[in-house]
Amino acid sequence: MSSNFTGPPTDVTTVGGRSGTHYVAPLDETPLVGVDAVKVAEKRSNLWIDAWQDVRRRPMFWISAALILLVALVALFPGIFTQTPPNNNCILGNSNGGPADGHPLGFTKQGCDIYSRIVHGTSTSLSVGFIVIVLTTTLGILFGAFAGFYGGWVDAVLSRLGDIFFSIPYILAAVVIMSVLSQYRSVWSISLAIGVFAWPSTARVLRSEILRVKNADFVMASTALGLSRFKILLKHVLPNSIAPVIVITTISLAGAIVAEASLSFLGVGLGSNIMSWGNDINQAQNDLRSAPQTLILPSIALSVTVFAFISLGEVVRDALDPKARALR
């Protein structure tokens, strides 16, 4: 009898005492080659790589990213987009005037160039937004991480403190604070007034995520290896819980910009000598019928910026949620 196996024959004794010849096939002729093979060239995959692969295929990501990049360039380099001084070239004879040569969007009630004021006001609105986000994210991570990871009385104290701040609408609190500090209306004061009361949402989201992650197997393995609880929190739990914070931070940035504009519109925000979209909207509210462009144009700039950040946050949220990706 012939056999296809080319390996060396081996004498073996079977059940019942009968001897026979057993042919051992070389490893490369068996299916074990495919089973035991290690795919060295296979690409690594994790949450962040999968999220990037998802967002790069979505048009809304590129649209919102392009708008945010444009707004950031305008805020950082306003001189590239306009050479007209926003306040030094105001002529009352041009009050509420329409577009003219060198002034594509017309003039404000004080005869100032609307386009120049929108461009130079971008940095103020974005500065308030970023300062608020840095403050709220820092406080939210500190309170949420310690409350969720350590639990017990630490969780009870920090959570109740967060509930107290969460029960106070941050817009209302900012109105009260800015009314008291009417002589100190600046970018820093309004940012602190908003940020001090806006962090509980971030803390709650992070706390709930840490409560889910801290019982994972890799956390128990780190504990068995003798790592301190603080190192486990810093190196393992927090990096694996930070994704929802990134999403809420992106969306909250838009909320901070709107909050500054709202406070300035109400007359308790930035000083009238500081250019911002909220101040321009406030100063133009009485001229809506006679010169609607003085109010509509800054409002469009505000709306486009807020739309860009919210859209980016929505895209990132869907990309960092594996369940949402599976449903698409």
Side-chain angles (χ1 to χ4, degrees):
M1 186 172 74
S2 61
S3 173
N4 293 329
F5 293 132
T6 60
T10 303
D11 291 334
V12 297
T13 301
T14 63
V15 179
R18 291 176 297 177
S19 63
T21 303
H22 174 68
Y23 288 87
V24 180
L27 183 62
D28 56 356
E29 296 184 11
T30 68
L32 295 176
V33 176
V35 175
D36 295 340
V38 179
K39 297 179 180 180
V40 179
E42 187 176 358
K43 294 182 179 180
R44 297 179 58 187
S45 178
N46 57 38
L47 175 65
W48 303 105
I49 295 177
D50 293 342
W52 168 245
Q53 295 296 332
D54 182 71
V55 300
R56 65 186 294 185
R57 295 192 297 266
R58 304 186 62 180
M60 186 54 66
F61 168 76
W62 296 109
I63 294 173
S64 57
L67 290 175
I68 291 173
L69 178 61
L70 176 62
V71 172
L73 290 175
V74 172
L76 293 174
F77 309 104
I80 297 178
F81 297 89
T82 180
Q83 302 296 325
T84 304
N87 287 327
N88 298 335
N89 196 27
C90 300
I91 303 175
L92 288 177
N94 295 327
S95 178
N96 291 336
D101 186 22
H103 307 278
L105 301 182
F107 301 89
T108 65
K109 189 173 184 177
Q110 291 77 26
C112 303
D113 182 65
I114 294 178
Y115 174 71
S116 180
R117 288 188 63 85
I118 291 176
V119 168
H120 286 274
T122 306
S123 60
T124 303
S125 298
L126 285 189
S127 297
V128 172
F130 278 107
I131 294 173
V132 170
I133 287 306
V134 169
L135 180 59
T136 56
T137 303
T138 302
L139 292 176
I141 289 177
L142 288 175
F143 278 76
F146 282 99
F149 186 72
Y150 287 100
W153 66 269
V154 177
D155 185 18
V157 172
L158 296 181
S159 295
R160 298 298 77 75
L161 185 61
D163 291 341
I164 293 173
F165 280 87
F166 189 77
S167 64
I168 304 173
Y170 68 89
I171 289 290
L172 178 61
V175 169
V176 175
I177 293 174
M178 294 305 296
S179 297
V180 174
L181 302 177
S182 58
Q183 297 180 350
Y184 304 97
R185 294 181 182 178
S186 65
V187 170
W188 286 100
S189 62
I190 193 173
S191 299
L192 292 174
I194 297 172
V196 167
F197 289 89
W199 60 266
S201 298
T202 304
R204 284 188 166 193
V205 170
L206 182 61
R207 175 182 175 274
S208 63
E209 189 68 12
I210 285 182
L211 287 174
R212 182 187 65 85
V213 172
K214 75 174 185 178
N215 294 320
D217 292 339
F218 66 86
V219 176
M220 289 191 257
S222 301
T223 304
L225 291 173
L227 269 69
S228 65
R229 298 197 70 188
F230 182 74
K231 285 186 177 180
I232 294 174
L233 171 63
L234 194 63
K235 293 184 177 181
H236 299 288
V237 176
L238 192 57
N240 286 280
S241 307
I242 205 68
V245 175
I246 296 176
V247 175
I248 196 173
T249 297
T250 307
I251 297 176
S252 297
L253 179 58
I257 295 174
V258 172
E260 178 275 320
S262 301
L263 293 174
S264 297
F265 177 77
L266 295 174
V268 294
L270 297 171
S272 59
N273 60 325
I274 301 176
M275 279 179 298
S276 75
W277 296 332
N279 273 340
D280 287 346
I281 295 172
N282 177 40
Q283 295 170 6
Q285 60 180 318
N286 295 326
D287 301 316
L288 178 59
R289 293 185 177 181
S290 59
Q293 76 278 3
T294 59
L295 186 144
I296 293 175
L297 294 175
S299 300
I300 291 176
L302 175 64
S303 301
V304 169
T305 304
V306 171
F307 166 79
F309 281 107
I310 291 179
S311 298
L312 181 63
E314 295 286 344
V315 172
V316 173
R317 182 192 64 186
D318 293 341
L320 292 176
D321 186 1
K323 294 181 180 179
R325 289 202 305 269
L327 294 175
R328 287 199 302 270

